[in-house]
């Protein structure tokens, strides 16, 4: 497993998500349209935008946590049981903190 490649991939994803969060922040700073029809459409999008914002912020936190775990040397260890997380799982889900067994218990 190439941890440097995983870090580069996570960094690219972090950059993409940060850009999305910034664009969402810009949306909230926009003045709402004065026209009632346009305002209605504008407000209909709020629920979708809130959902996208929440997901982006969650993913950003997950990536930052993965970087912190890498720096601390515990990235490959399950945060619940302390067992080593399988390499294939980390390659597929680099932000995971749980081994398969613990993840199944949570689900």
């Amino acid at each position: 497993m190439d941890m440097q490649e995983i870090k580069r991939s996570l960094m690219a994803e972090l950059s993409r998500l940060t850009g999305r969060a910034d664009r969402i922040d810009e949306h909230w700073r926009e003045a709402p349209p004065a026209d009632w029809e346009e305002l209605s459409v504008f407000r209909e999008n709020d629920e979708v935008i809130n959902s996208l914002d929440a997901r982006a912020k969650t993913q950003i936190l997950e990536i930052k946590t993965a970087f912190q775990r890498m720096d601390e040397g515990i990235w490959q260890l399950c945060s619940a049981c302390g067992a080593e997380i399988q390499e294939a799982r980390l390659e597929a889900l680099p932000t995971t903190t749980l081994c398969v067994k613990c993840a199944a218990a949570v689900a």
Side-chain angles (χ1 to χ4, degrees):
M1 174 170 49
D2 184 1
M3 190 179 296
Q4 292 305 319
E5 182 59 36
I6 291 172
K7 281 185 174 182
R8 278 191 293 276
S9 175
L10 286 173
M11 192 58 91
E13 183 66 6
L14 181 61
S15 177
R16 186 184 71 79
L17 290 167
T18 302
R20 176 187 292 170
D22 290 346
R23 287 189 303 279
I24 290 170
D25 287 344
E26 286 175 24
H27 168 79
W28 295 123
R29 286 191 293 269
E30 287 178 19
D35 178 60
W36 284 100
E37 278 186 49
E38 288 179 21
L39 181 61
S40 175
V41 172
F42 187 81
R43 291 296 174 219
E44 284 178 14
N45 292 330
D46 286 354
E47 186 175 330
V48 173
I49 291 170
N50 278 333
S51 178
L52 289 171
D53 189 36
R55 183 65 187 139
K57 287 178 180 173
T58 298
Q59 289 175 311
I60 288 169
L61 180 60
E62 289 171 351
I63 291 171
K64 288 180 177 182
T65 300
F67 283 139
Q68 181 179 0
R69 288 172 52 84
M70 287 175 182
D71 291 345
E72 293 173 1
I74 60 170
W75 178 64
Q76 294 174 302
L77 301 178
C78 177
S79 63
C81 71
E84 193 165 314
I85 301 172
Q86 301 82 352
E87 233 179 80
R89 180 169 172 77
L90 286 170
E91 287 175 354
L93 301 167
T95 59
T96 190
T97 62
L98 300 173
C99 67
V100 172
K101 182 180 173 185
C102 292
V106 172

